[in-house]
Amino acid sequence: MVMSEIFGSLVFNDTVMQERLPKYTYKELKTCIENGDPISLSCATVIANAMKDWAIEKGCTHFTHWFQPMTGITAEKHDAFIQPTPDGKVIMEFSGKELIKGEPDASSFPSGGIRATFEARGYTTWDPTSYAFVKDHTLCIPTAFVSYTGEVLDKKTPLLKSMEDLSNKACRILKLFGKNVRKVVTTVGPEQEYFLIDKSVYEKRKDLIFTGRTLFGAPAPKGQELEDHYFGTIKQRVVKYMSDLDIELWKLGVLAKTKHNEVAPAQHELAPIFTQSSVSTDANQLTMEMMKKIASRHGMACLLHEKPFAGVNGSGKHNNWSMSTDTGENLLEPGDTPEDNAQFLLFLVAVLKAVDDYQDLLRVSVASAGNDHRLGANEAPPAIVSVFLGEELDGILTAIAEDRTYSKRARCDYEIGVSSLPKFKKDTTDRNRTSPFAFTGNKFEFRMLGSSFSIAGPNIILNTIVAESLDQFADELEGAEDFMSAVKALIKKTFIAHKRIVFNGNGYSDEWVKEAEKRGLLNLQSSPEALPYFRTAKNIALFEKHGIFSALEVESRTDILLENYSKVLNIEALTMIDMTAKDIMPAVTTYIKELSDTAISAKAVGIDAKTQVTVAKKLSDLCAAGYKQLDTLKTKVHKAETISNIQDKAMYYRTDVLPAMEALRKTADEMEVNTAEKYWPFPTYGDILFSIKE
């Protein structure tokens, strides 16, 4: 395997374009991308023809406008390259018009009421900032998706808007520092956690098939208590899967770099090198798709739900975010003497201010029914948003706030105590894995995202709120007589005003919950509590000011998220009802009958049958309780579906339906531990979590 031949081999990237496009076309394309100008039809026609020829050589027969609707996954409608000729044959054609514009049905995607069923027209338009690629013998062209009336219907378009807006605001600041910068790019590297289980056990679990998580399941005798899976030796079957996944991702130009076992049994992680936010978003969508597809090839199922198994760690997606200039400078790189790096400190406090001012939006950006199971559990950050800076940066900013000189702590050699081992410099600050938003050297790690999330939403929010801070900073600094004095004063003022958001301690502790409340920080524990904050007047004003969303688009997105929450819980509740009535109860009553028959036979020959009677009685009582809970759940689901107000419906699912589901599960799990294995109707946690053998 020659990496240089594999990497990007299925991507119409810059190297391919330079080889296949006329010089004037390539130059026009690059200029348009750099300046944000529209590409002419004549230029698009030349590019389309080159794309088509390249794709056909790769075995393609079709093309598709690959877009990211508000379902959170990708969408594609395939069209063949063929065009009929007068002699009854066909030729392979792909025009500039077809490259620039497509027309999928806009009424069948979530729109939050923007589009009615009879209003079907929507448009996809080529995003030249992302490379086209080949997947499943189809040329995939990354695109934006908008309605006929101009409203945005996807996740990609507002991401691109937010990136451009932040770039403009950051360049204003850098100009004041004397930097000749044309563009600032936000960069992201999302660490992707996931579970792998054998396909045979997956196919025997209706809950995994329909909902992505187990709705029933008593704990296995062994879980993650020994912490022996984390970074442990990877099983050979998983090694082969990971190897194939790497190769397929590398072909698509995805910078997959790190892979390892995670904490829970059957849990793993893949981490890429971070790159431009829009490109990284495309890459992560492809990563999730390929994870599932390649798992199937290996006789496995890949689970991306945030909490597929109760009692063991769930899966998140750590969003490593930073800002870099077109000259290659990372704006969140502190350097060797961060206390003297005014530019870095200014951008740092801009992020602090953004997170504090818009902690509600960051919480909204990670809200989902699946992630509600994970946030606040002891493997994930709490629902309270806070920032970890570490001792050094906290100390520097505190010194500035108190008008004193920072006493720099020297980096010392790390003494291991074994003479043959090399010495190395110890970092001045430890890391904090309990923080939702942690500074990790030269970037911020936003750790609240769920594993199934599109990273577009959280990064739209991050880019926009930081752009707002930078915009306010630029307004204040552009008229300053003594710029550096004004910068220092602004850093001081900002840190004092927003230091409540900084917390370097244990984010899992009960004490922090109490402390956060004293500080006035939000603790929005569920999605129905968090999502209404999306459409507050303050937040709508922010989005409209920066041209990210209109008020209508904010309203529609809020409704889509609330509606999705209710739909997810409705599907889960209906699945529980089905599994209980059709699988669990019949299995348990059959076992009760066997116990009863055995007891009768035993008594007939004078054998003590107390054990059989006791177990049969216990299971009978559990069945009676289960049937009652089943009826309660049915009633509550029926009532939920009669509620017309979207917010009220979501809240009812949270406060009434979900507790009814949890009560039924508790009873069913108790049945499981008292029922003989051969009678239990589906694989147990032990069967599932340890289904992948060496």
Side-chain angles (χ1 to χ4, degrees), residues 41 44-45 48 63-65 79-83 93-103 124-126 141 143:
L41 180 58
T45 299
F63 69 91
T64 182
H65 276 195
D79 288 299
F81 287 122
I82 61 171
Q83 293 292 338
E93 284 191 354
F94 182 47
S95 69
K97 287 184 179 179
E98 290 173 309
L99 171 61
I100 290 173
K101 189 189 83 171
E103 188 183 330
T124 50
T125 181
W126 175 36
I141 302 154
T143 57

Side-chain angles (χ1 to χ4, degrees), residues 393-547:
L393 294 181
D394 197 4
I396 290 169
L397 291 173
T398 299
I400 291 172
E402 296 174 355
D403 292 320
R404 58 178 173 79
T405 302
Y406 172 66
S407 299
K408 185 179 178 67
R409 190 176 72 179
R411 293 182 67 191
C412 59
D413 284 340
Y414 198 95
E415 296 289 346
I416 299 176
V418 179
S419 59
S420 60
L421 295 180
K423 293 182 179 180
F424 56 88
K425 292 293 183 183
K426 183 178 180 179
D427 290 314
T428 55
T429 296
D430 201 351
R431 292 197 180 214
N432 187 331
R433 306 306 292 174
T434 73
S435 175
F437 200 90
F439 188 77
T440 55
N442 62 358
K443 61 188 182 300
F444 278 99
E445 184 179 14
F446 187 24
R447 302 181 64 242
M448 296 176 77
L449 282 69
S451 53
S452 65
F453 273 52
S454 162
I455 65 171
N459 285 289
I460 291 166
I461 301 300
L462 262 175
N463 295 344
T464 305
I465 64 177
V466 174
E468 172 63 15
S469 292
L470 295 175
D471 192 44
Q472 292 181 28
F473 284 6
D475 287 344
E476 183 168 340
L477 294 173
E478 281 172 345
E481 293 183 7
D482 185 337
F483 174 67
M484 290 309 297
S485 294
V487 167
K488 185 174 181 180
L490 181 55
I491 292 170
K492 174 183 175 180
K493 178 177 71 173
T494 304
F495 181 66
I496 291 173
H498 299 285
K499 64 181 180 180
R500 68 172 185 168
I501 202 70
V502 177
F503 178 65
N504 296 321
N506 181 7
Y508 295 163
S509 69
D510 293 336
E511 289 76 17
W512 166 234
V513 176
K514 297 173 185 176
E515 172 63 23
E517 185 177 3
K518 289 180 184 178
R519 296 188 187 190
L521 301 181
L522 294 171
N523 186 5
L524 304 172
Q525 297 185 33
S526 72
S527 294
E529 293 173 76
L531 290 171
Y533 283 85
F534 200 0
R535 54 180 164 213
T536 61
K538 175 200 75 164
N539 292 335
I540 289 175
L542 170 78
F543 292 125
E544 290 189 323
K545 173 185 174 181
H546 292 270

